[in-house]
Amino acid sequence: MRRAVVIGTGAHLPERVMTNHDFPAHLETNDEWIQTRTGITQRHIAAENETTSDLATAAGMQAIKNAGISADSIDLVVLATTTPDETMPSTATKVQHRLGITRGAAFDVNAACSGFVYAMAVANNFIKAGAARRVIVIGAETFSRILDWNDRGTCILFGDGAAAVILEAQENTNDKMGGRGILHSGIYSDGQYTALLNTTGGVSSTKTAGVLTMVGKDIFRHAVSKMPEAVTQGMKEINLPVSAIDWLVPHQANMRILASVAQKLEIPEEKVISTVSGHANTSAASIPLALHLGSTDGRIKQGQLIACPALGAGLTWGATILRW
Ligand code: UT7
């Protein structure tokens, strides 16, 4: 059976760190509120001239190096972002060129905070269909550009960053343990909820990018029900119990969401990888950033079962389940 196996990861965060203490007094927020309600202590913010493609290229280069492959062996670049450099061309094509890839195809996927899970599903299906052998999946965002810095309900929640994984088609016969690679990539959406999390503008509606608005409580409610559901459904489909999961690596929006998702799945806290304190919510970059961290600090080991659920604007949601 052909599977999409992760053979390398990379990450890049902007140099500038903004702590909870750095918000101006007129915002009427404070470190204690932010930490208690979200678990966030700081976020990285892109420099004025630093774009999503800059972050994505740096993360991509590191992933290629860590995988020990040549850039030109990559057949497909799938870049998950809601904050592209420009409306066109896709940020993926810019990154493809900057990574030194001169063949194959590149495109963006916009599924907001579920972007990485969506991009993994696309890549997985290309690989399973035999249409690509090596795919780089990148989650990259500069959400700082679309925040209303006067809205304390949203601007404290997000940060910038990028991370990448290289997927390679491998023939896998070890079916006893499910084999290495992506075992399940479930994606879902329900457009009746667009108003819960969106921007106030866009190319075709206002000819601007707009700023992010969110009904936080409702998004919270959907996140803590749909993310565990997506994992439960995925585990059912691959015929493994939820207790077989070694690491839960969810989208990193709010520590309370992570805790609730883990609790609903009866996964102990020690098996949850969290970056929300140091990076805040980096949207499509958050899961690959956490995967990169967990695998480079030695927690995630080859052969372990990882579940990555996400939920974002759309609403979109889903889960990637893979054996590392
Ligand atoms: O990736 C997907 C996208 N996002 C998410 O998943 C985020 C989902 N939502 C959340 O994480 C939470 O709903 C928030 C962190 C956004 C808000 O937490 P909450 O516990 O739902 O707080 P709340 O909105 O009910 O606000 C409680 C109080 C309010 O004051 P009153 O009405 O009780 O007087 C807010 O005005 O806290 C106030 N508040 C703040 N106070 C200090 C809201 N934001 C702040 C703030 N600092 N930054």
Side-chain angles (χ1 to χ4, degrees):
M1 183 182 292
R2 186 184 295 119
R3 288 242 170 81
V5 176
V6 174
I7 59 163
T9 64
H12 186 78
L13 291 160
E15 207 176 302
R16 183 180 156 214
V17 170
M18 182 179 184
T19 73
N20 293 346
H21 300 284
D22 296 332
F23 289 100
H26 73 79
L27 201 63
E28 291 186 355
T29 188
N30 58 74
D31 178 54
E32 204 238 320
W33 191 96
I34 300 172
Q35 285 213 39
T36 318
R37 300 290 179 119
T38 72
I40 296 165
T41 58
Q42 61 172 46
R43 69 286 292 139
H44 291 249
I45 303 289
E48 191 88 4
N49 59 353
E50 196 172 30
T51 61
T52 294
S53 69
D54 292 331
L55 305 180
T57 303
M61 274 178 176
Q62 199 185 87
I64 289 168
K65 189 166 169 244
N66 288 344
I69 61 166
S70 78
D72 231 19
S73 70
I74 293 171
D75 305 307
L76 184 65
V77 179
V78 186
L79 191 145
T81 190
T82 316
T83 45
D85 288 11
E86 289 90 24
T87 304
M88 69 173 193
S90 70
T91 303
T93 54
K94 293 174 77 175
V95 173
Q96 176 196 33
H97 174 65
R98 291 176 65 185
L99 290 176
I101 305 169
T102 55
R103 53 178 209 88
F107 55 84
D108 290 355
V109 167
N110 176 346
C113 294
S114 309
F116 182 73
V117 167
Y118 266 64
M120 287 291 267
V122 171
N124 185 37
N125 286 317
F126 264 88
I127 285 176
K128 282 203 306 198
R133 201 176 78 81
R134 278 192 182 143
V135 183
I136 184 164
V137 177
I138 309 175
E141 303 276 17
T142 46
F143 257 53
S144 61
R145 303 285 207 274
I146 55 162
L147 295 177
D148 174 354
W149 289 96
N150 290 311
D151 176 11
R152 66 178 183 172
T154 54
C155 75
I156 53 118
L157 295 171
F158 295 90
D160 301 333
V165 304
I166 313 268
L167 292 171
E168 180 181 78
Q170 291 185 9
E171 296 302 323
N172 208 319
T173 51
N174 176 15
D175 269 339
K176 195 171 153 229
M177 296 291 288
R180 280 188 75 200
I182 298 178
L183 307 180
H184 169 84
S185 55
I187 54 172
Y188 316 94
S189 63
D190 188 344
Q192 71 174 301
Y193 299 115
T194 50
L196 295 184
L197 178 51
N198 58 18
T199 56
T200 54
V203 180
S204 185
S205 55
T206 58
K207 299 187 214 164
T208 64
V211 290
L212 183 147
T213 66
M214 177 171 70
V215 185
K217 271 199 186 318
D218 287 354
I219 292 293
F220 195 105
R221 197 167 45 80
H222 283 287
V224 299
S225 66
K226 292 186 166 61
M227 283 164 64
E229 247 172 56
V231 173
T232 309
Q233 177 64 26
M235 294 305 284
K236 209 165 120 190
E237 280 178 28
I238 62 174
N239 213 13
L240 286 171
V242 171
S243 60
I245 294 169
D246 294 298
W247 292 106
L248 183 67
V249 189
H251 168 54
Q252 312 276 322
N254 182 326
M255 198 56 224
R256 285 157 55 216
I257 296 178
L258 269 70
S260 171
V261 171
Q263 192 194 10
K264 286 192 175 169
L265 291 167
E266 293 179 21
I267 292 176
E269 220 179 287
E270 315 82 73
K271 289 187 173 185
V272 182
I273 293 186
S274 170
T275 59
V276 72
S277 167
H279 306 167
N281 181 348
T282 54
S283 183
S286 90
I287 290 176
L289 274 167
L291 287 173
H292 177 76
L293 177 77
S295 60
T296 50
D297 70 13
R299 276 180 289 176
I300 298 178
K301 294 181 180 64
Q302 193 169 313
Q304 288 188 321
L305 193 65
I306 322 287
C308 308
L311 176 129
L315 293 177
T316 54
W317 69 98
T320 307
I321 297 169
L322 72 160
R323 198 172 288 284
W324 200 253

